[in-house]
Amino acid sequence: MPETITYDALLSRIQAHDGAAHDVFDPATGALIGRAPVEDESALERAVERAHAAQPRWAALSDDARRAYLHDAADAVERWAEPLAELLSREQGKPLEGLNARFEVGGCVAWLRATADTPLPHEVVVDDESTFAEMHYRPIGVVGAITPWNWPMMIAIWQIAPALRMGNTVVAKPAQSTDLSGLAIAAILNIVLPEGVLITVTGSGRTIGQALAAHPSVGKIMFTGSTEVGKQIIEASAGNVTRLTLELGGNDAGIVLPDVDPAAIAEGLFWGAFINTGQTCAALKRLYVHDDVYDDVVSHLAAFAAAVPMGVGLDTGNLLGPLQNRKQYETVARLVSAARDSGARIVLGGEPDPAAAGHFYPTTIIADIDPHNPLVVEEQFGPALPVIRYSDIDGVVALANESEFGLGASVWSRDRAAAQEVAGRLQAGTVWINSHGGLHPMVPFGGAKHSGYGREFGIEGLKAVSEPQVVVG
Ligand code: NAP
Ligand code: MG
């Protein structure tokens, strides 16, 4: 029978039919969109057992066979792209258009294919008269994949695809506020994958996530989320010496040097900060601008920002959406209030509509703010950007590096060599020049300091979900 590819067909594959469940509401409208299952620790136990049982047969396939499965999975995501994007938009809040829901589903396809196509041959490390030594990359076993709610499909793929490619099986735990998106992307992959290779368990982080991290049969945890929960995962997994890749919080600095053309960089600065309505780990979250160009950069940025439409994700033309959940809305509102109370200048936004049905916080730009204001030093994870004035490059580098986070950073200048010199002094896993936040499936990504450890994507990312084995002789 041919597949029926509709939004309703997707929802019926993943909805809770019986047992414990929670209602899922559209953050833009408050409308009920579905019910997601709430599973308990016994479900997690069964999932790990099934994944563990399926792993030897999956690992015994050739690398080429697993690569073909990932391409088949990418084909399936392409066929289901429109229903997936619609669900993502309804549940997460991000609009269909722009760098949002359709873009995220496209990212899933791109990462599946790139992960399939990245070669990882054995590496000869020594080959001389006395020694021949090679590095082989073996499967670890069962990988636990724990994801956040901001890019719930794409981040799941970032964890699942390399783990599968390297011969591991996966137990995935989506963030509870975007359970349906996590279930949906896995359900589409499971149209093509063999039984037991990828299992999703939904439920709270404190029960399912914690039990997954502490499980002795789980060899590796891929975790993306907050630094606080990252530390809990380190503790929960310590007794089993579980391998960890931790992609944690960020509070990325951008430094604008005095030689820029403010009109030319406004668009790049805006999307660097406001992609996914600011709910992005490696978004630009504090912008330091040299005094010589400060007023022009602020005014061009604010003019660009004021013209970008925000609204319900399924409505044509919107490029920004609501905050995904009330807790995040309250964090942004608290930080903007603190900035206002300190005397900082609200250039744009800052006044949410109390009658709005969804968790909409308007695009907000705040100038002349103290470098130690909470909006600057905390991760806001929403559409409010502080712009800090500086005049001394050593001082601004010190301020950028004061943060406990070190995910990304950017330097903006017409002089590439000058920008690279500043980049070399920044404590961050990635430094972009004249852009911020762009990712590529072959370019390693990850954080310094409390933004985590380990790298995803490309060859580094494949190695991260394998057990290196040296074969000598
Ligand atoms: P979060 O609260 O840390 O939750 C992330 C995931 O961990 C969710 O699935 C959550 O489940 C689960 N969890 C909660 N408590 C747990 C525990 N004790 N043990 C195991 N798992 C547990 O993060 P979030 O609020 O969803 O996401 C926002 C944060 O993620 C931000 O700080 C952002 O910067 C960061 N982030 C980082 C990256 C990166 O690549 N570095 C990318 C995206 C986001 P429940 O939802 O059920 O609680
Ligand atoms: Mg901040």
Side-chain angles (χ1 to χ4, degrees):
M1 216 174 69
E3 283 176 320
T4 313
I5 297 177
T6 62
Y7 176 79
D8 289 338
L10 180 64
L11 208 59
S12 75
R13 277 173 189 261
I14 57 173
Q15 283 251 46
H17 297 293
D18 44 28
H22 70 89
D23 290 336
V24 179
F25 297 99
D26 182 333
T29 62
L32 181 68
I33 60 166
R35 287 182 55 76
V38 180
E39 296 180 277
D40 60 14
E41 281 183 56
S42 65
L44 189 265
E45 195 55 48
R46 288 194 301 277
V48 174
E49 269 171 34
R50 270 171 65 207
H52 195 254
Q55 196 268 334
R57 207 170 335 129
W58 180 247
L61 293 177
S62 68
D63 188 39
D64 281 347
R66 288 193 300 269
R67 294 169 61 179
Y69 271 115
L70 292 184
H71 277 297
D72 290 348
D75 293 343
V77 174
E78 277 182 331
R79 284 197 302 279
W80 285 85
E82 210 43 34
L84 284 167
E86 183 177 340
L87 176 64
L88 186 53
S89 183
R90 285 182 192 272
E91 187 185 47
Q92 203 285 334
K94 60 183 70 190
L96 283 174
E97 296 168 38
L99 301 173
N100 292 296
R102 290 190 181 119
F103 170 80
E104 179 167 350
V105 175
C108 294
V109 174
W111 256 267
L112 280 163
R113 296 208 191 283
T115 305
D117 291 341
T118 303
L120 183 56
H122 301 328
E123 294 166 359
V124 177
V125 283
V126 176
D127 182 5
D128 62 20
E129 315 74 60
S130 60
T131 308
F132 181 79
E134 252 184 1
M135 290 290 285
H136 294 194
Y137 293 92
R138 306 288 192 202
I140 298 174
V142 177
V143 171
I146 306 178
T147 39
W149 46 258
N150 58 342
W151 294 87
M153 293 188 186
M154 190 162 70
I155 292 177
I157 292 295
W158 291 353
Q159 300 180 345
I160 292 165
L164 293 180
R165 163 76 193 279
M166 297 311 293
N168 308 285
T169 53
V170 176
V171 175
K173 148 67 186 118
Q176 216 168 10
S177 44
T178 50
D179 272 335
L180 294 178
S181 296
L183 285 165
I185 191 74
I188 299 310
L189 265 55
N190 274 327
I191 294 173
V192 302
L193 292 173
E195 138 66 31
V197 162
L198 168 62
I199 304 165
T200 303
V201 183
T202 54
S204 86
R206 258 188 229 103
T207 56
I208 304 300
Q210 181 80 19
L212 185 58
H215 204 293
S217 299
V218 174
K220 165 101 194 186
I221 294 286
M222 300 289 291
F223 173 73
T224 300
S226 62
T227 299
E228 189 193 342
V229 173
K231 290 177 187 173
Q232 289 166 11
I233 287 174
I234 295 170
E235 285 181 24
S237 64
N240 302 317
V241 200
T242 310
R243 280 78 179 117
L244 302 175
T245 292
L246 300 177
E247 297 285 2
L248 308 179
N251 193 18
D252 290 11
I255 298 178
V256 176
L257 302 186
D259 68 345
V260 296
D261 173 354
I265 64 171
E267 181 173 359
L269 288 173
F270 178 79
W271 287 116
F274 290 88
I275 182 170
N276 200 27
T277 315
Q279 303 162 105
T280 297
C281 52
L284 172 45
K285 294 181 179 132
R286 44 196 176 117
L287 180 61
Y288 299 88
V289 180
H290 193 275
D291 193 36
D292 288 356
V293 287
Y294 186 87
D295 293 334
D296 283 348
V297 168
V298 169
S299 60
H300 281 284
L301 179 59
F304 187 91
V308 179
M310 177 185 283
V312 175
L314 296 183
D315 294 351
T316 310
N318 289 323
L319 296 175
L320 297 167
L323 275 308
Q324 201 279 327
N325 55 73
R326 199 69 201 169
K327 186 165 164 255
Q328 199 58 45
Y329 175 95
E330 278 160 11
T331 299
V332 174
R334 171 178 63 80
L335 291 172
V336 173
S337 294
R340 179 189 284 109
D341 294 349
S342 76
R345 181 162 58 95
I346 314 269
V347 181
L348 182 72
E351 298 284 352
D353 173 2
H359 311 311
F360 285 100
Y361 199 92
T363 305
T364 298
I365 292 176
I366 300 191
D368 297 319
I369 184 167
D370 183 273
H372 294 106
N373 186 277
L375 179 63
V376 181
V377 298
E378 292 180 32
E379 184 183 28
Q380 65 273 52
F381 218 61
L385 180 67
V387 190
I388 307 106
R389 194 187 290 268
Y390 81 88
S391 52
D392 164 45
I393 190 68
D394 293 336
V396 79
V397 167
L399 281 174
N401 287 339
E402 255 178 27
S403 175
E404 65 176 18
F405 294 116
L407 190 53
S410 58
V411 185
W412 303 73
S413 172
R414 284 197 245 219
D415 179 345
R416 193 150 175 271
Q420 280 182 330
E421 194 276 329
V422 176
R425 295 161 68 190
L426 294 174
Q427 298 166 350
T430 304
V431 185
W432 290 275
I433 293 173
N434 294 324
S435 69
H436 196 115
L439 301 178
H440 185 289
M442 288 305 292
V443 179
F445 174 68
K449 304 200 284 188
H450 288 205
S451 291
Y453 46 72
R455 292 293 179 268
E456 296 186 89
F457 313 161
I459 293 166
E460 295 292 321
L462 294 181
K463 290 181 180 178
V465 279
S466 357
E467 195 57 63
Q469 181 182 55
V470 174
V471 179
V472 182

